[in-house]
Amino acid sequence: MAKYLLLKHYRGAPAAANDVPMDQWTPEEISAHVKYMEDFASRLEETGEFVDARALSPEGTFVRYDGEGRPPVTDGPFAETKDLIAGWMVIDVDSYERALDLAAELSAAPGAGGKPIHEWLEVRRFLTEPPTITE
């Protein structure tokens, strides 16, 4: 089994087929989308493939260390100009192909007009051990 992160980008990925931003959906469309996501996660819980999932707020700040005794340096929030990760799901599956199949199914969550979004999801495998560095 390997864990994979499925990242839902609402900005920064190729455009989805049903590319209407969520802030333009009706309350019913949002409810249908959330229900699809919950039902998908429940089904994966039954198979033991679901680990966790979370939606993220659109606000975020980049931060970095700026030296001993100095405050952190921040950049943002500038949500309108940066990639926007809307949420993520972690799955634990037998193969990369299974991860792709599940990501494709998740991509079909309904959006505006009740039609599948066909959004692009980023699939990333968790590292199982730290990389070995040789000098």
Side-chain angles (χ1 to χ4, degrees):
M1 299 288 279
K3 289 185 175 69
Y4 289 87
L5 176 65
L6 309 181
L7 282 173
K8 295 175 64 68
H9 293 264
Y10 282 157
R11 189 172 43 247
N18 185 357
D19 199 24
V20 178
M22 190 178 238
D23 62 0
Q24 296 176 24
W25 297 0
T26 66
E28 294 79 17
E29 291 166 342
I30 292 171
S31 293
H33 180 80
V34 170
K35 180 168 178 8
Y36 182 97
M37 302 288 290
E38 290 171 345
D39 291 348
F40 183 83
S42 292
R43 201 178 81 243
L44 295 184
E45 282 178 338
E46 291 172 8
T47 64
E49 295 173 307
F50 180 80
V51 177
D52 198 6
R54 295 280 187 256
L56 300 172
S57 72
E59 297 82 24
T61 303
F62 284 102
V63 62
R64 70 171 175 83
Y65 178 75
D66 197 38
E68 189 65 38
R70 299 180 65 155
V73 176
T74 60
D75 178 28
F78 302 109
E80 67 281 357
T81 61
K82 295 185 178 171
D83 292 353
L84 175 58
I85 298 172
W88 51 266
M89 180 177 286
V90 176
I91 57 175
D92 194 2
V93 294
D94 288 328
S95 68
Y96 177 69
E97 290 73 21
R98 176 69 175 154
L100 293 180
D101 287 344
L102 291 174
E105 185 178 344
L106 188 58
S107 162
K115 296 179 181 173
I117 300 172
H118 295 286
E119 66 185 324
W120 290 92
L121 298 178
E122 184 177 355
V123 178
R124 307 224 10 217
R125 185 174 184 192
F126 280 54
L127 291 175
T128 55
E129 58 186 65
T132 302
I133 300 174
T134 58
E135 292 186 31

